[in-house]
Amino acid sequence: MTTDKGPEILKIPIGINASGTRRETDSMGAVEVPADRYWGAQTARSLIHFSIGDDHMPKQVYHAYGYVKKAAAAVNADAGRLPRWKADLICHVCDEVIAGHLDEHFPLYVWQTGSGTQSNMNVNEVISNRAIQLVGGQLGSKDPIHPNDDVNMGQSSNDTFPTAMHIAAALEIQTRLLPRVRALHSAISAKSQQWHDVVKIGRTHLEDAVPLTVGQEWSGWAAQLDTAANRVSASRHELYRLAAGGTAVGTGLNAPHNFGPDIAAQIASLIGKPFVTAPNKFEAQGGLDGIVAAAAALRGLAVSLMKIANDIRWLASGPRTGIGELKLPANEPGSSIMPGKVNPTQCEAMVMVCIQVLGDDSAVAFAGSQGNFELNEMRPIVINNFLHSARILGDAAENCRPTASKESNSTQRRSTYTCTAH
Amino acid sequence: MLVTALSPVIGYDKASAIAHDADRTGRTLRESALDSGAITAEDFDRIVNPATMVGPF
């Protein structure tokens, strides 16, 4: 075990005070990179060959990668493979990555290698150069922190990118999506109770049927949301299984003994969620089934939200010639030519979001069915679509909440039934 | 949105106020418009006529 004391970590703020370009090298030779950026040669090559569209790898993937690299460094140091001072230095930079402070140094596009290798190398290069800066070294020298030998120790893109995908997906569900969907569910439940005794006519086939209460109708929507949110929550069970430790093809070549369970335990400890090593690395790397299932749960949520949003905007139609049972909060003037027009715009945005989520999910399913043998190399599109779907569903739920909320007095006053049964 | 026909005569803002007033009070558009003082009954009946609103020609 190496126990030598390393150089002192200097208090240098993030940023490189330089202009022009800097010479960086990789196994294919030298490349010029912007002098004020931490990335290296492989990132620069990706920007040259894969500047496709304006779709960038979601930042959440890099934040998740910060956990992966931090956990790997800790495991490697505990086992005596990596000097402790190097691990401490890497962990210091990983905290900056996790916090998003280095986001502008991750410029790559979604449309790159299907394994996500270029984004993994982007992370390795940025952590290497930032660490070098923090000990007063020369950027691009790979000394004392090498992007491959130190930051990527015991890892492959083929096991760490799937790991970062699962972490990013699980965290997005937990921190943003579910709280927003639960809040919308609570708002709809409250309206269901408020209007529990208001009788109206039920409709089937778009034609008049028999009576029910407004509360009963809204309770159905609430139950849909509750069930859909539970499905999304349950989908995290498979996302908690991490591929790390499988390395290139799932066999764990070049990874030390027990690296998979150890790094999963470290990640679980860092994040505080029950991440475990995937029981079969060939499944975890050769397929994308876990995140395909999670995306299908998002699809289910979108289907429920679309039904609810459409019901609400039909019931609010009018005010003079439509159904006119609901009065929605007016967000804005609805028309540039028709004075006084109020439209169910929040519902329209929600319906568009749901349509987009169904499209995102179709692409995820297609990508999940692709890839051959030991690696499904259609990964960036999958994590991009998943995070996109989760983000817009959560945001739309949050934006829609005032439409069905009693929290705002003005909203409550306007969200009353103007007429009930006829 | 028959009120739209009033915009070129009294302006979008006054027409909006009339539409919102009619919606809020449950009155007819004509009642709110005349009550606003922005238009006479004669002009209202001439302008707000669905049969003349179905095409520019």
Side-chain angles (χ1 to χ4, degrees):
Chain A
M1 176 184 280
T2 311
T3 56
D4 58 319
K5 193 171 180 300
E8 181 190 358
I9 299 179
L10 306 172
K11 289 192 184 338
I12 300 175
I14 290 171
I16 306 170
N17 188 18
S19 58
T21 60
R22 178 181 73 241
R23 194 175 176 81
E24 287 268 353
T25 58
D26 61 13
S27 60
M28 292 178 66
V31 183
E32 296 293 316
V33 305
D36 61 350
R37 290 292 178 264
Y38 289 107
W39 67 70
Q42 294 199 38
T43 305
R45 292 188 199 283
S46 178
L47 286 173
I48 293 168
H49 299 295
F50 299 95
S51 59
I52 302 173
D54 196 29
D55 308 305
H56 295 273
M57 187 70 77
K59 297 305 181 198
Q60 300 100 303
V61 173
Y62 297 108
H63 304 162
Y65 245 124
Y67 287 113
V68 177
K69 299 297 176 182
K70 184 175 182 178
V75 169
N76 286 324
D78 287 347
R81 291 183 292 268
L82 184 69
R84 178 62 66 183
W85 68 267
K86 284 195 176 186
D88 290 345
L89 186 51
I90 290 171
C91 288
H92 181 99
V93 179
C94 286
D95 286 338
E96 296 177 339
V97 173
I98 292 165
H101 297 154
L102 288 164
D103 280 357
E104 65 184 273
H105 300 276
F106 301 117
L108 298 186
Y109 296 87
V110 170
W111 318 109
Q112 52 163 285
T113 166
S115 59
T117 299
Q118 289 155 19
S119 281
N120 179 32
M121 281 310 302
N122 187 183
V123 173
N124 292 333
E125 290 174 341
V126 167
I127 292 175
S128 164
N129 270 332
R130 171 63 177 154
I132 289 169
Q133 181 191 38
L134 283 172
V135 294
Q138 184 183 352
L139 269 63
S141 67
K142 309 182 198 300
D143 179 41
I145 300 295
H146 193 285
N148 298 81
D149 294 335
D150 295 317
V151 185
N152 202 55
M153 180 183 279
Q155 307 152 60
S156 161
S157 303
N158 297 352
D159 63 345
T160 59
F161 196 81
T163 300
M165 287 173 69
H166 276 208
I167 293 171
L171 288 181
E172 183 71 20
I173 288 173
Q174 171 199 325
T175 60
R176 289 190 65 93
L177 176 60
L178 283 181
R180 285 162 172 72
V181 174
R182 299 279 189 214
L184 178 59
H185 167 262
S186 295
I188 291 178
S189 289
K191 284 298 181 195
S192 164
Q193 289 160 16
Q194 178 186 337
W195 291 328
H196 75 279
D197 58 354
V198 179
V199 178
K200 59 165 275 179
I201 192 69
R203 298 180 183 86
T204 59
H205 306 264
L206 298 179
E207 306 287 343
D208 295 347
V210 294
L212 80 167
T213 70
V214 178
Q216 287 172 324
E217 186 169 54
W218 283 62
S219 78
W221 300 339
Q224 276 191 284
L225 270 190
D226 185 48
T227 307
N230 288 341
R231 284 192 212 104
V232 173
S233 180
S235 75
R236 285 182 296 175
H237 178 68
E238 284 186 67
L239 295 177
Y240 287 145
R241 297 176 180 172
L242 304 179
T247 65
V249 298
T251 58
L253 177 71
N254 287 3
H257 176 67
N258 217 47
F259 190 75
D262 287 346
I263 192 173
Q266 273 288 339
I267 291 169
S269 171
L270 289 173
I271 298 177
K273 286 291 164 186
F275 288 99
V276 295
T277 195
N280 187 307
K281 302 296 187 294
F282 309 106
E283 182 263 357
Q285 297 177 213
L288 281 159
D289 298 359
I291 200 162
V292 166
L298 298 186
R299 178 192 186 91
L301 174 60
V303 166
S304 297
L305 282 168
M306 176 133 37
K307 196 275 182 184
I308 296 165
N310 274 328
D311 278 357
I312 287 176
R313 63 182 181 146
W314 271 112
L315 291 172
S317 61
R320 293 290 164 93
T321 64
I323 293 174
E325 287 186 13
L326 274 178
K327 193 87 170 171
L328 301 182
N331 288 344
E332 68 284 305
S335 166
S336 62
I337 182 173
M338 293 175 275
K341 197 160 177 359
V342 175
N343 296 327
T345 49
Q346 215 70 68
C347 292
E348 292 166 11
M350 174 61 85
V351 169
M352 286 192 288
V353 161
C354 294
I355 289 169
Q356 180 64 48
V357 170
L358 301 192
D360 282 346
D361 177 65
S362 293
V364 166
F366 200 156
S369 70
Q370 300 301 298
N372 302 107
F373 310 122
E374 276 63 65
L375 181 68
N376 181 311
E377 61 287 271
M378 295 293 140
R379 294 188 177 273
I381 186 179
V382 169
I383 191 59
N384 182 61
N385 280 17
F386 183 92
L387 293 174
H388 183 238
S389 285
R391 180 64 181 269
I392 61 178
L393 277 172
D395 287 352
E398 181 68 12
N399 278 256
C400 249
R401 190 157 55 89
T403 297
S405 176
K406 66 172 186 177
E407 289 176 10
S408 157
N409 286 333
S410 60
T411 300
Q412 184 181 25
R413 181 173 57 80
R414 302 201 61 173
S415 289
T416 52
Y417 266 68
T418 52
C419 56
T420 55
H422 296 281
Chain B
M1 285 285 113
L2 298 181
V3 70
T4 303
L6 289 176
S7 277
V9 181
I10 65 172
Y12 182 95
D13 291 338
K14 284 181 183 171
S16 280
I18 290 168
H20 283 300
D21 178 75
D23 186 42
R24 189 177 62 252
T25 62
R27 294 192 293 177
T28 65
L29 186 64
R30 190 174 192 275
E31 287 169 337
S32 290
L34 298 188
D35 190 47
S36 75
I39 189 118
T40 65
E42 183 184 345
D43 283 343
F44 184 94
D45 293 338
R46 178 175 53 82
I47 295 166
V48 186
N49 179 355
T52 62
M53 288 172 67
V54 296
F57 304 114

